[in-house]
Amino acid sequence: MSEPPLHARPRVAFLGLGAIGRPMAARVARLYPLTVWNRTAEGARRFGEATGARVAATPRAAAEAAEVVLTCLPTSADVEGLLDGPDGLLAGFRPGALLVDCTSGSPAASRRIAARLRAAGHGFVDAPVSGGTNGAEAGSLTVMLGGEEQDVLQAREVVRAFGQRIEHLGGVGTGHAMKAVNNALLAVNILALGEALTALARAGVRPGPAVGVLNASSGRSFVSEVLVPERVLTGRFPPTFRLALLHKDAGIAAELADECGVDHPILAHAVELLARARAILGEEADYIEALRVNERQAGVELRA
Ligand code: NDP
């Protein structure tokens, strides 16, 4: 299908040019007329210079310039914090606007936000992503959509700019539920591998061969196949996704299980361990650095 001319496509606003928001917004800029806003104005100015996107001075001004507004902030509370006040999104939304929230947020908060927007005649879709900053650059993210059919149809048109697998999971909040559970499993894998590899190192098995055997055996995972070889064994630890955000995601999944009356002893313990790692390593540590806590405790380094 051929693309409509640029002026006939929906205008998009993107708020939150962080580690993953920036490359996602850059993909949107290739397909749609784009306006961006970032809390720290310098980030938006540099993005505008690099991509030709317009820069808005406030969330309100960003919303005024678009039919579809995307947010990608650390938490749902941060998204809620942009809604109100004279410079807020609600003051700027055009009639029938759609908010597509790519934050890895909380289902309950999303339902709250959606209800407020619906009362003002606007739509809401939760659209968290998976695939990391590399996936955002390549346009190969998985996008998990929660919302009403009509809104999801409209959201799909825009998120295809950075998404490859785009899945509509159900009503508002289901995208966020799916994302939280995915990241909870990622967290459990990271924590388990930290224990396993340090125990093996102490038992005299070198980390390189240990990871090689795991990856040819049934104990393998994305963490053992990709994260540990690329980031831990090499000692590179590139900053792509903050441990603080993984802790937040595991917490959302635990809350969800609680609300649904589902026992979750493994997840509850993972949340505690992540909180401890976050306290030790700080707010800027990358997620895979959680293994440094195991390394320090065992007095080993998991390098090839
Ligand atoms: P970062 O911490 O790198 O960036 C956060 C962005 O949100 C920055 O633009 C920051 O602005 C802005 N921000 C922070 N607090 C507020 C606030 N209170 N009000 C307005 N803006 C605010 O996060 P990421 O880009 O890594 O993550 C964004 C979301 O995407 C998170 O929910 C995360 O869990 C999720 N995610 C991240 C992935 C990754 O690989 N990084 C992968 C998949 C999902 P400023 O520039 O001023 O700091």
Side-chain angles (χ1 to χ4, degrees):
M1 205 176 70
S2 65
E3 294 284 346
L6 201 61
H7 68 264
R9 300 180 202 177
R11 291 173 302 161
V12 178
F14 199 109
L15 294 88
L17 302 171
I20 198 151
R22 201 177 327 112
M24 286 164 67
R27 301 278 317 182
V28 174
R30 294 190 193 182
L31 288 186
Y32 297 102
L34 179 67
T35 300
V36 293
W37 175 85
N38 193 58
R39 180 180 62 176
T40 306
E42 178 59 15
R45 193 193 61 75
R46 269 190 275 117
F47 182 90
E49 254 178 36
T51 63
R54 290 180 47 196
V55 175
T58 60
R60 175 186 180 156
E64 282 169 348
E67 282 79 40
V68 179
V69 177
L70 273 67
T71 39
C72 190
L73 306 181
T75 67
S76 288
D78 297 321
V79 177
E80 285 184 299
L82 294 192
L83 293 179
D84 296 306
D87 288 336
L89 286 173
L90 281 165
F93 279 138
R94 305 173 66 80
L98 178 68
L99 177 61
V100 178
D101 183 21
C102 298
T103 305
S104 299
S106 127
S110 292
R111 289 193 294 269
R112 216 162 43 227
I113 296 171
R116 289 196 62 194
L117 264 60
R118 202 174 306 120
H122 310 303
F124 177 91
V125 171
D126 42 313
V129 300
S130 180
T133 51
N134 288 339
E137 273 163 32
S140 62
L141 293 174
T142 298
V143 190
M144 300 160 234
L145 300 176
E148 290 176 14
E149 198 65 54
Q150 269 310 105
D151 295 336
V152 163
L153 259 180
Q154 205 186 347
R156 266 182 196 278
E157 194 187 338
V158 177
V159 302
R160 74 188 169 104
F162 46 77
Q164 196 164 44
R165 183 182 179 116
I166 301 169
E167 196 79 44
H168 182 195
L169 294 149
V172 167
T174 54
H176 281 154
M178 184 72 236
K179 171 66 187 176
V181 167
N182 176 75
N183 276 24
L185 286 173
L186 168 67
V188 168
N189 267 292
I190 288 174
L191 295 165
L193 211 63
E195 291 180 4
L197 291 176
T198 48
L200 281 169
R202 287 300 297 256
V205 182
R206 284 182 292 119
V211 172
V213 170
L214 281 178
N215 288 340
S217 308
S218 45
R220 68 184 183 274
S221 64
F222 171 73
V223 184
S224 69
E225 289 184 325
V226 177
L227 294 180
V228 169
E230 290 181 0
R231 302 176 180 212
V232 182
L233 296 183
T234 58
R236 281 178 52 239
F237 296 102
T240 60
F241 175 49
R242 294 187 295 120
L243 174 66
L245 295 174
L246 185 64
H247 174 226
K248 172 251 323 177
D249 293 338
I252 293 171
E255 236 175 72
L256 186 76
D258 250 348
E259 284 165 15
C260 300
V262 172
D263 282 349
H264 52 282
I266 295 175
L267 186 49
H269 196 49
V271 174
E272 278 173 29
L273 293 173
L274 290 167
R276 187 163 69 102
R278 181 177 178 176
I280 294 171
L281 299 167
E283 290 299 295
E284 296 306 316
D286 194 61
Y287 65 138
I288 197 65
E289 290 190 74
L291 268 64
R292 288 191 195 275
V293 175
N294 303 92
E295 290 182 338
R296 285 180 199 173
Q297 184 278 322
V300 296
E301 276 208 332
L302 301 171
R303 306 290 171 269

